[in-house]
Amino acid sequence: MKENRAQFATKIGVVAVTVGSAVGLGNIWRFPFEAGSNGGGAFLLVNLLFVFLIGVPVICAEFIIGRHTGANVRAAFRQLAPGQKWGFVGYIGILASVLILSFYSVVAGWTMEYIVRSFTGFGGTGRSLEGEFDAFASSGWRPVMWTLLFLLCNYWILARGVEKGIERMANIMMPALFLLLLVFCINSLTLPEAGKGLRFLFYPDFSKLTAKGVLNAMGQAFFSLSLGLGGLITYSSYFKRHTPLMKTAALTAALDSLVAIMAGVIIFPAVFSFGQQPAAGPKLVFEVLPAIFGSMTGGAVWSVLFFVLLFLASLTSTVSMSEISIAYLTEEMHMGRRGATRLNIGVAMVLGTVCALSFGCLGHLTVGGLTVFGLFDYLASNILLPVGGMLISFFAGHRLERSVLDSELLSSSRRPGRLEVLAVRLIVVSLKWIAPACIFVVFLFGLGLF
Ligand code: TRP
């Protein structure tokens, strides 16, 4: 391991940045609309299954690869499998991370618009909010402006480097977001149709879940955990030797799922109480939340707080996406950090503009019924991330020495207990067989190939 690379300063910082990368729009924006479009409870259950059966082991695989080599994605694979073609997993990661950064920034831009609107007031209540969001998202220059502004914020943080920029922000923001979500959960539970919303979220009705829905649940698991494109390889290359990998992986998955479930508890009671549609798609949260705030005392204050924190949570996530390309560009292509950041953000600005306009003047540009925005999301989340995850888990399971897996997974304890040894065994079995096979089968069915 190279000793001159940056490292995260504190133990809590390690968890905070990993959770900070995981928790973002994926939990609060993407999870509710995916669950809403794919049958609610059944989607949640299948999603959780993927998170713990596949997600946790693959997080561990990324951690092992990253910390063992202390290198960026491409160099890590080159070091572990010299002369072999595994380095292209790194390219998948870079491609997917740029696609995600582009459409993600559009949604983060919406949250910025909604910070402003929290001050000026939303135009309607309940159903009439639908027109309001559509009018904004299709208005052309405004969503584009926010997308670009958001990417500039990213640039500002990224150029400052790993420790100062990312870690400090994640430490402060994550607990604040969590507390605020708790308040909103309690508020939503007092709404008139709370029971109906909770039933929708928690009662699994498998007749509503299609093979495509199962693929979406898997894509959501990967997306939400920031998994499959080596983001966590990059982050864990900054971990210290004694950081407990299994605990960090399990805690990340648990907290990440908890936040998604909390978002569901906030959104679905409101959907039914205000007569809205759970299957509204990407705009769901942006129509439901203003309705919630409108019904709360001091709604404007809550609204500002919420969208500010959502904006910050998006930043800690996008920063982790960019770090994948930046680590590659600086260490493999020998670019300066500033130049690498500029290139990454610049490409995302161009693609992000196209994504933002796909809700307006480029809306007619579709592939298989998906706009550019939808296509980027589908390609990245449902195809590239799972393929990346499959390759990473296969690599860790079959190409790495068992002694490497053991020593990395057990690095924090001198004398591992029985439970730890069992956990290691389970993770290895999942990496070798369960995760690759599961991902492959879900693919066959979900893409309609079978
Ligand atoms: N997990 C983040 C979210 O839920 C998004 C994200 C950050 C991500 N980094 C990633 C997704 C890397 C895939 C890969 O909002």
Side-chain angles (χ1 to χ4, degrees):
M1 189 158 114
K2 291 182 217 132
E3 287 306 329
N4 57 354
R5 285 185 104 226
Q7 287 198 344
F8 292 124
T10 61
K11 224 184 209 172
I12 186 81
V14 164
V15 177
V17 287
T18 312
V19 176
S21 159
V23 172
L25 293 169
N27 313 62
I28 291 165
W29 160 74
R30 203 173 186 279
F31 173 79
F33 93 72
E34 285 285 346
S37 307
N38 289 294
F43 180 90
L44 172 61
L45 195 72
V46 175
N47 175 256
L48 287 178
L49 219 65
F50 283 128
V51 166
F52 288 98
L53 216 64
I54 302 180
V56 173
V58 180
I59 299 180
C60 288
E62 290 207 14
F63 280 176
I64 293 169
I65 296 172
R67 189 172 64 183
H68 190 67
T69 56
N72 67 75
V73 184
R74 230 192 91 74
F77 280 106
R78 203 178 43 222
Q79 210 168 311
L80 292 170
Q84 296 176 25
K85 296 256 178 292
W86 283 96
F88 78 92
V89 178
Y91 292 130
I92 297 183
I94 290 170
L95 173 68
S97 68
V98 174
L99 291 181
I100 295 176
L101 180 61
S102 308
F103 76 80
Y104 202 95
S105 299
V106 175
V107 184
W110 296 345
T111 68
M112 293 167 85
E113 166 81 11
Y114 274 55
I115 295 174
V116 175
R117 287 199 184 191
S118 307
F119 287 106
T120 57
F122 293 94
T125 49
R127 290 212 96 132
S128 65
L129 285 164
E130 281 176 30
E132 191 175 334
F133 176 81
D134 286 336
F136 156 65
S138 62
S139 70
W141 69 270
R142 234 179 129 85
V144 172
M145 172 192 80
W146 288 122
T147 306
L148 299 181
L149 205 62
F150 178 77
L151 284 165
L152 282 179
C153 295
N154 271 280
Y155 176 78
W156 184 71
I157 295 176
L158 283 164
R160 289 156 64 104
V162 178
E163 235 177 75
K164 276 192 225 108
I166 305 173
E167 185 173 352
R168 197 176 297 165
M169 188 164 80
N171 275 336
I172 305 170
M173 196 217 71
M174 299 312 297
L177 180 67
F178 196 79
L179 281 182
L180 200 66
L181 287 176
L182 210 57
V183 173
F184 293 135
C185 279
I186 295 167
N187 175 67
S188 271
L189 292 176
T190 65
L191 291 173
E193 295 291 349
K196 213 166 153 190
L198 293 181
R199 195 182 149 77
F200 179 85
L201 178 63
F202 291 116
Y203 179 77
D205 175 359
F206 285 99
S207 66
K208 288 200 219 145
L209 192 69
T210 58
K212 211 171 149 254
V214 174
L215 176 63
N216 285 351
M218 183 169 79
Q220 172 61 23
F222 277 92
F223 187 94
S224 192
L225 295 172
S226 312
L227 215 52
L229 38 71
L232 299 180
I233 295 183
T234 309
Y235 263 18
S236 58
S237 71
Y238 305 124
F239 281 7
K240 288 187 172 145
R241 188 70 215 142
H242 57 254
T243 302
L245 299 188
M246 287 192 290
K247 253 192 221 151
T248 308
L251 194 64
T252 305
L255 286 177
D256 188 64
S257 302
L258 184 63
V259 173
I261 291 172
M262 286 167 91
V265 170
I266 294 169
I267 296 294
F268 290 113
V271 166
F272 292 103
S273 301
F274 299 122
Q276 295 174 320
Q277 289 302 325
K283 59 186 182 173
L284 176 74
V285 169
F286 288 88
E287 288 173 353
V288 176
L289 286 170
I292 298 178
F293 301 136
S295 72
M296 289 170 84
T297 35
V301 179
W302 293 115
S303 181
V304 172
L305 268 177
F306 181 83
F307 286 114
V308 167
L309 283 174
L310 190 55
F311 161 75
L312 293 176
S314 319
L315 265 180
T316 53
S317 296
T318 48
V319 156
S320 79
M321 287 170 214
S322 296
E323 194 61 29
I324 300 171
S325 323
I326 293 174
Y328 170 76
L329 289 172
T330 51
E331 293 175 15
E332 297 294 298
M333 308 305 251
H334 307 292
M335 287 177 78
R337 190 168 172 96
R338 236 160 241 283
T341 310
R342 276 198 196 124
L343 180 61
N344 174 263
I345 297 295
V347 172
M349 280 182 160
V350 175
L351 295 178
T353 302
V354 179
C355 286
L357 291 175
S358 79
F359 287 87
C361 63
L362 295 181
H364 58 278
L365 205 70
T366 57
V367 182
L370 294 169
T371 60
V372 176
F373 178 97
L375 184 70
F376 278 20
D377 186 5
Y378 189 87
L379 264 184
S381 313
N382 285 7
I383 298 182
L384 294 174
L385 298 188
V387 167
M390 187 163 73
L391 294 171
I392 288 170
S393 75
F394 188 89
F395 181 86
H398 295 274
R399 287 286 179 276
L400 288 186
E401 303 275 342
R402 179 62 196 264
S403 60
V404 171
L405 301 181
D406 285 346
S407 74
E408 287 296 335
L409 289 176
L410 297 170
S411 70
S412 59
S413 48
R414 289 248 164 88
R415 225 180 285 142
R418 235 194 245 156
L419 210 64
E420 276 172 292
V421 174
L422 181 68
V424 171
R425 236 182 245 159
L426 285 177
I427 286 170
V428 172
V429 170
S430 176
L431 288 179
K432 271 187 193 293
W433 312 110
I434 303 175
C438 243
I439 296 171
F440 188 67
V441 170
V442 175
F443 256 146
L444 287 188
F445 284 95
L447 297 175
L449 299 176
F450 196 70

